[in-house]
């Protein structure tokens, strides 16, 4: 909010006060809306007995989507107890669909998804659910709210609002943010997330395992840190 003084002063204060650009309360309000509550119940039924690792990214080389997929494969190889009990749900928002490099990236991701689902899937269970589309705000809030963890595996990135949006929707369950050290948000959210190097597939897979196996108490501690940080940023 602005102090005294002229328009310029007020403007500069406002810029300083909103470096992140997310309004946590907008997400909290959404979670109270009937439409979102209904969708949350549907998702909880759909994923009963399954922990969801959520990814929400534009299809872009800097987002590290293949790195995330390879880490999921490694997780299922090294921790077979997760087969049938964990799903990576990746929302891959199409961008620049006419550019050959992006078509290649999309094809590479689809190939990995097919390989992982072929190896570890079974009737009624696909370890990776990969959606080539954007989702609306209500659906996004419901997905954030019902996911056990959110994975941001950017190879380089700005602040990455997904990280903040996820934290804002996790007041109840205290889900875990697995965050690339190369995302700008990692500097800000340091103590409130599991930080990983997405270039190291085993380390990223360990981050998934840590998020999935963390005690409620540990999750609460991480969430309290992250929550305080998004509050002070917003």
């Amino acid at each position: 909010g602005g102090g005294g003084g002229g328009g310029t002063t007020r403007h500069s204060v406002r810029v300083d006060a909103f470096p992140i650009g997310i309004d946590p309360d907008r997400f909290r309000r959404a979670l109270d809306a009937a439409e979102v509550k209904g969708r949350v119940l549907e998702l909880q039924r759909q994923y009963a007995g399954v922990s969801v690792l959520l990814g929400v990214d534009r299809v872009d080389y800097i987002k590290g989507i293949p790195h995330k997929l390879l880490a999921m494969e490694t997780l299922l190889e090294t921790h077979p107890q997760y087969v049938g009990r964990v799903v990576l749900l990746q929302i891959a928002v199409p961008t620049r669909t006419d550019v050959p490099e992006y078509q290649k990236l999309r094809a590479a991701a689809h190939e990995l998804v097919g390989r992982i689902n072929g190896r570890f899937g079974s009737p009624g269970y696909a370890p990776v659910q990969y959606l080539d589309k954007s989702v609306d705000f209500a659906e996004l809030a419901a997905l954030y709210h019902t996911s056990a963890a959110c994975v941001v595996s950017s190879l380089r990135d700005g602040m990455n609002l997904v990280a903040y949006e996820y934290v804002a929707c996790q007041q109840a369950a205290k889900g875990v943010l697995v965050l690339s050290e190369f995302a700008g948000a990692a500097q800000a959210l340091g103590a409130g997330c599991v930080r990983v190097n997405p270039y190291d597939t085993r380390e990223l897979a360990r981050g998934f395992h840590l998020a999935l196996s963390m005690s409620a108490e540990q999750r609460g501690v991480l969430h309290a840190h992250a929550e305080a940080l998004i509050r002070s940023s917003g």
Side-chain angles (χ1 to χ4, degrees):
T8 337
T9 321
R10 226 178 17 255
H11 180 66
S12 64
V13 168
R14 197 187 142 76
V15 169
D16 291 342
F18 297 98
I20 303 312
I22 99 148
D23 170 8
D25 292 323
R26 182 181 174 221
F27 285 90
R28 306 229 168 83
R29 285 192 301 274
L31 293 174
D32 287 331
E35 178 195 358
V36 177
K37 281 184 160 168
R39 187 62 185 127
V40 163
L41 285 173
E42 284 173 11
L43 288 166
Q44 286 170 339
R45 276 198 297 270
Q46 184 183 339
Y47 292 108
V50 172
S51 298
V52 176
L53 300 171
L54 179 67
V56 182
D57 303 276
R58 284 180 297 106
V59 175
D60 189 314
Y61 278 95
I62 69 165
K63 297 297 185 180
I65 295 173
H67 302 68
K68 199 183 303 190
L69 294 168
L70 288 168
M72 181 65 177
E73 183 175 47
T74 299
L75 177 77
L76 298 174
E77 273 169 6
T78 53
H79 296 85
Q81 72 270 26
Y82 287 130
V83 175
R85 295 177 53 201
V86 175
V87 163
L88 172 63
L89 173 57
Q90 176 66 48
I91 310 294
V93 181
T95 49
R96 300 152 76 172
T97 46
D98 51 335
V99 179
E101 287 80 55
Y102 286 81
Q103 293 168 355
K104 235 162 56 183
L105 177 59
R106 182 173 174 247
H110 283 194
E111 194 176 318
L112 281 171
V113 171
R115 181 175 91 195
I116 297 164
N117 286 343
R119 280 186 68 187
F120 297 104
S122 57
Y125 170 69
V128 182
Q129 299 182 355
Y130 189 95
L131 307 183
D132 288 298
K133 61 177 187 179
S134 56
V135 296
D136 65 25
F137 180 71
E139 176 76 355
L140 189 58
L143 286 168
Y144 282 145
H145 184 68
T146 46
S147 299
C150 181
V151 183
V152 175
S153 55
S154 317
L155 308 180
R156 61 173 201 278
D157 216 344
M159 289 315 290
N160 196 296
L161 302 186
V162 165
Y164 292 87
E165 292 169 356
Y166 178 72
V167 172
C169 291
Q170 277 296 327
Q171 273 189 306
K174 317 279 191 264
V176 181
L177 178 62
V178 178
L179 185 58
S180 163
E181 63 191 40
F182 305 116
Q187 273 49 62
L189 289 175
C193 64
V194 172
R195 280 178 63 161
V196 287
N197 173 359
Y199 287 103
D200 183 338
T201 303
R202 287 187 107 59
E203 183 181 314
L204 186 48
R206 275 197 301 272
F208 291 4
H209 172 57
L210 190 59
L212 292 163
S213 58
M214 195 177 284
S215 72
E217 190 185 351
Q218 278 178 299
R219 292 202 315 268
V221 170
L222 282 191
H223 185 267
H225 278 294
E227 173 81 12
L229 288 158
I230 69 164
R231 278 259 160 240
S232 62
S233 311

